[in-house]
Amino acid sequence: MAGKRLEKMEENRAKLIAAARKAFAEKGFAHASMDELTADAGLTRGALYHNFGDKRGLLAAVVDQLDSEMAARAKEIGAERAGRDEGDMWQALLGEGAAYIEMALDPEIQRIVLLDGPAVLGDPSLWPSQNSCLAETRKGVSLMVENGIMKPVDIEAAARLLNGAALNAALWVAASDNPAEVLPKAVEAFALMAGGLRATA
Amino acid sequence: MAGKRLEKMEENRAKLIAAARKAFAEKGFAHASMDELTADAGLTRGALYHNFGDKRGLLAAVVDQLDSEMAARAKEIGAERAGRDEGDMWQALLGEGAAYIEMALDPEIQRIVLLDGPAVLGDPSLWPSQNSCLAETRKGVSLMVENGIMKPVDIEAAARLLNGAALNAALWVAASDNPAEVLPKAVEAFALMAGGLRATA
DNA sequence: TATGTAGCATACGGTGCGTATGTCAAGTTC
DNA sequence: GAACTTGACATACGCACCGTATGCTACATA
């Protein structure tokens, strides 16, 4: 029966993060009220400041969670696509890129991770989570450069550019009048641009 | 002597925008106080709300100004580089990209246009200014696709991806420990990726 | 010169963040 | 197992700041 405190605490943290995801996604970070948010979670601001320090701390926790989910999903999609071609690493990279573009259509990810996140927490490379998405892309790029599949480009630079292009494309798709029609164009253009990094066979 | 009113008004608008550029760049949009900002300009919040409607309106005006300056500068740099190769459009595009990356190292542009701008005003394609930078890139891409210099890719998609990659690379460079060392890597990677859009000769 | 208007200043209300203080249940020690 | 301690969370307070409503004055018009 020991650890009942910690258990409750984790439960409350999860409740607050869940409520924050909803509030931040719907109203944006700036217009989300901490009073409302915590009340929705059945708690008060006291719990919030005790667990996360301040409003930014809560955002950081939310971003961390979303980022992890995104990286996992991208990896999954990439592996799935590579699987069709028996471990084709290049296809995996394109798959991950396409996955990022599609995921960013989700208002939660768009609003919180792509818009408010950088504005409030600074560049993703400075985030506490160290950005799992970026790490995933970096790993792929690194392997491909080693294997000669990709030109000998700077790992970090390539990862950043690929991620930046994908996420920015997603913002464009989301802001367009007809996302469903525009999405494939974005994915195609991404594949072409990424191709610039591929070693010339 | 007629029009003394309008003259003063334009002068005050300019003063407010100038003060806002400074305040937003130094403290960020959220933490910039309108009272301080207007006092620095020798005015009060009354002038602000009369001229710009609200805080967002002021940011929109500032972003518009910065965006125009950026587009003009990028065009200039691009033309300069193209000139060396007698109107090489491809070199002009790479020059513009490099120019964006370098310009984004300026805290004013980084903080206001790249971070707070999208978070507060939404995606650049929704901005009142309609984003001059994007328009400039789009124009270049359009011409090159027509002339067969670039693959027949979707104009808008290519422009967005190029801009997104460049600006995101800039954020990475700026956040790094040693920007001077990292910048050329970013520029090189950008050139490679952009090359993926080039028609295969 | 008299009058209207518009640009800007002043005054007010409301909201929301962060902190300081209080409280009570869960864990600890003898 | 009873007194004590700890810490997770609630409550209460102060302060800053945005947006609006109202007031004032210089400029424009007739």
Side-chain angles (χ1 to χ4, degrees):
Chain A
M1 186 147 183
K4 194 171 176 183
R5 278 300 267 279
L6 287 169
E7 192 182 324
K8 266 285 181 206
M9 195 175 172
E10 276 309 313
E11 198 177 310
N12 284 341
R13 282 177 58 94
K15 272 196 228 169
L16 288 172
I17 291 180
R21 277 177 72 145
K22 220 178 113 178
F24 290 162
E26 285 174 1
K27 313 186 175 187
F29 177 77
H31 295 87
S33 163
M34 307 297 273
D35 280 319
E36 282 185 22
L37 190 159
T38 50
D40 279 351
L43 296 164
T44 68
R45 290 217 320 282
L48 212 167
Y49 285 93
H50 190 76
N51 280 295
F52 300 98
D54 61 353
K55 197 178 182 183
R56 285 184 58 191
L58 180 59
L59 177 63
V62 171
V63 164
D64 187 41
Q65 190 179 81
L66 285 169
D67 179 51
S68 298
E69 289 177 15
M70 287 175 69
R73 175 110 182 97
K75 188 173 182 176
E76 183 188 332
I77 299 276
E80 191 177 291
R81 187 188 281 216
R84 290 207 302 266
D85 283 345
E86 277 301 311
D88 185 330
M89 290 167 68
W90 187 258
Q91 286 302 317
L93 182 76
L94 294 186
E96 281 182 22
Y100 284 135
I101 297 179
E102 284 171 30
M103 282 189 291
L105 296 180
D106 176 2
E108 241 185 7
I109 290 173
Q110 198 179 123
R111 179 84 242 172
I112 301 176
V113 179
L114 304 185
L115 295 178
D116 286 332
V120 176
L121 305 174
D123 187 80
S125 60
L126 303 172
W127 291 358
S129 60
Q130 279 285 56
N131 206 278
S132 306
C133 291
L134 212 49
E136 189 58 36
T137 306
R138 183 166 43 233
K139 205 167 66 181
V141 168
S142 179
L143 270 173
M144 294 173 74
V145 169
E146 281 176 22
N147 293 18
I149 300 176
M150 192 175 273
K151 291 174 184 167
V153 67
D154 184 83
I155 311 291
E156 195 66 32
R160 271 307 284 249
L161 282 165
L162 287 169
N163 249 280
L167 298 180
N168 221 286
L171 285 179
W172 166 56
V173 173
S176 74
D177 299 327
N178 191 347
E181 185 192 343
V182 168
L183 202 155
K185 294 180 185 173
V187 173
E188 187 201 343
F190 175 80
L192 279 177
M193 271 190 66
L197 296 176
R198 199 171 188 178
T200 46
Chain B
M1 184 142 181
K4 193 170 174 182
R5 280 297 271 274
L6 286 171
E7 192 181 325
K8 266 285 181 204
M9 194 175 172
E10 276 309 312
E11 199 176 309
N12 283 342
R13 283 177 58 95
K15 273 196 229 170
L16 288 171
I17 291 179
R21 277 177 73 144
K22 219 178 114 178
F24 290 162
E26 286 174 0
K27 312 185 175 188
F29 177 77
H31 295 87
S33 163
M34 306 297 271
D35 280 318
E36 281 185 23
L37 190 158
T38 50
D40 279 351
L43 297 165
T44 69
R45 290 217 322 280
L48 212 166
Y49 284 93
H50 191 75
N51 280 295
F52 300 99
D54 61 351
K55 197 179 180 182
R56 285 184 58 191
L58 179 59
L59 177 64
V62 170
V63 163
D64 187 42
Q65 191 180 79
L66 285 170
D67 180 50
S68 298
E69 290 176 14
M70 286 175 70
R73 174 111 182 97
K75 188 174 182 177
E76 184 188 330
I77 300 276
E80 192 178 290
R81 186 188 282 216
R84 290 207 301 266
D85 282 345
E86 277 302 313
D88 183 331
M89 289 167 68
W90 187 259
Q91 285 301 317
L93 181 77
L94 294 185
E96 281 182 23
Y100 283 135
I101 296 178
E102 285 171 29
M103 281 190 292
L105 297 181
D106 176 3
E108 240 185 9
I109 291 173
Q110 199 177 121
R111 179 83 242 173
I112 302 175
V113 179
L114 304 186
L115 295 178
D116 285 332
V120 177
L121 305 174
D123 187 79
S125 61
L126 303 172
W127 293 357
S129 59
Q130 278 286 52
N131 206 280
S132 305
C133 291
L134 213 49
E136 189 59 35
T137 305
R138 183 167 43 232
K139 206 167 67 182
V141 169
S142 179
L143 270 172
M144 296 173 73
V145 169
E146 282 177 22
N147 294 17
I149 299 176
M150 194 176 272
K151 291 173 184 166
V153 66
D154 184 81
I155 310 290
E156 195 67 30
R160 269 307 285 249
L161 283 165
L162 286 168
N163 249 279
L167 298 180
N168 221 284
L171 285 179
W172 166 57
V173 173
S176 75
D177 298 327
N178 190 347
E181 185 191 343
V182 169
L183 200 154
K185 294 181 185 171
V187 173
E188 187 200 344
F190 175 79
L192 279 177
M193 271 192 66
L197 296 176
R198 200 171 188 178
T200 46

